[in-house]
Amino acid sequence: MHRRDLSDLGAHWLADGHPDPDRVWEEWNDEHGVALLPAGVRWDAVSMPQGRMQAVVEDMGPLAVDRCPILADLGSARAYVFVQPGTAAWTGAFAEDSVNVISEGSWLVASRPLGRQSRAGTWLVAPSATLRLASPEDLLASLRRTAGNEALPEAAACGMPCPDPAHHHACARSSFHCGIHRDTKRQGAETCSWTRRETLG
């Protein structure tokens, strides 16, 4: 049995959607700290450039995606907004090359929600005990309204200083993030996280 964090309820939700949950925890606990997660069981996802995701969130309003899991690959500057499984296929009729569907048969790389974050799969909004998935209808409407928006380049790191006076580091997450602040550099045995951001900044 691989070590599981009982307090990380979002991680349990993700792992339990895998045919072999132990495999997910094994991957999270190894040196890379990321796991392959299957779409189409607990969730589908809509993939778009991070800049486009920011435009969509601003268009919909932060409450529309509050507690909605949003994953990002910081290397490719893409974001993945989670929706109900089986509901993302509507984007097949949405004629825009930069927006596509992650559904049954597809997999995403993700860090453990409350664990050390990898650039290849970092949580902008991590799943939690109170998660809710985005409305595909509202997301489609917003994608249509923001269709003329150019994707923004990946921004610098957030940079919000850690509130612990003994630590001399800052939030290293993307400036697009809308969850808790977190450094992605290990501080001893811990990764610091602190005050939530209510809106994208």
Side-chain angles (χ1 to χ4, degrees):
M1 179 68 67
H2 298 282
R3 181 171 57 85
R4 302 187 180 203
D5 183 347
L6 297 179
S7 68
D8 195 343
L9 298 182
H12 285 273
W13 179 77
L14 291 167
D16 289 347
H18 192 284
D20 183 359
D22 284 343
R23 173 71 178 272
V24 177
W25 288 96
E26 178 184 4
E27 292 176 351
W28 276 333
N29 289 328
D30 74 14
E31 61 180 315
H32 301 294
V34 295
L36 273 175
L37 302 175
V41 180
R42 289 289 176 91
W43 48 268
D44 281 359
V46 180
S47 171
M48 64 191 77
Q50 278 187 278
R52 183 61 176 285
M53 180 274 296
Q54 184 184 34
V56 165
V57 170
E58 290 174 350
D59 174 74
M60 295 174 68
L63 293 180
V65 292
D66 180 48
R67 294 176 282 124
C68 169
I70 302 177
L71 185 69
D73 180 342
L74 300 184
S76 63
R78 292 196 68 82
Y80 305 90
V81 181
F82 280 37
V83 296
Q84 289 286 346
T87 65
W90 47 261
T91 58
F94 185 71
E96 188 172 333
D97 291 341
S98 65
V99 178
N100 49 59
V101 177
I102 308 296
S103 58
E104 186 175 7
S106 298
W107 298 70
L108 284 178
V109 171
S111 304
R112 183 168 65 82
L114 296 185
R116 175 170 51 90
Q117 299 295 295
S118 165
R119 285 180 59 83
T122 193
W123 291 102
L124 304 183
V125 181
S128 66
T130 59
L131 72 86
R132 61 190 181 97
L133 299 175
S135 162
E137 294 84 1
D138 292 346
L139 190 55
L140 175 58
S142 183
L143 284 167
R144 286 174 171 160
R145 287 192 297 269
T146 59
N149 291 14
E150 292 293 326
L152 302 174
E154 182 182 0
C158 169
M160 180 64 69
C162 178
D164 188 328
H167 291 182
H168 303 288
H169 62 98
C171 178
R173 299 181 71 183
S174 165
S175 63
F176 296 127
H177 86 83
C178 47
I180 60 173
H181 295 290
R182 183 186 291 119
D183 74 326
T184 53
K185 298 177 181 178
R186 301 290 283 185
Q187 300 295 319
E190 301 292 334
T191 294
C192 295
S193 59
W194 59 97
T195 310
R196 286 179 58 84
R197 296 176 65 180
E198 298 302 324
T199 60
L200 294 175

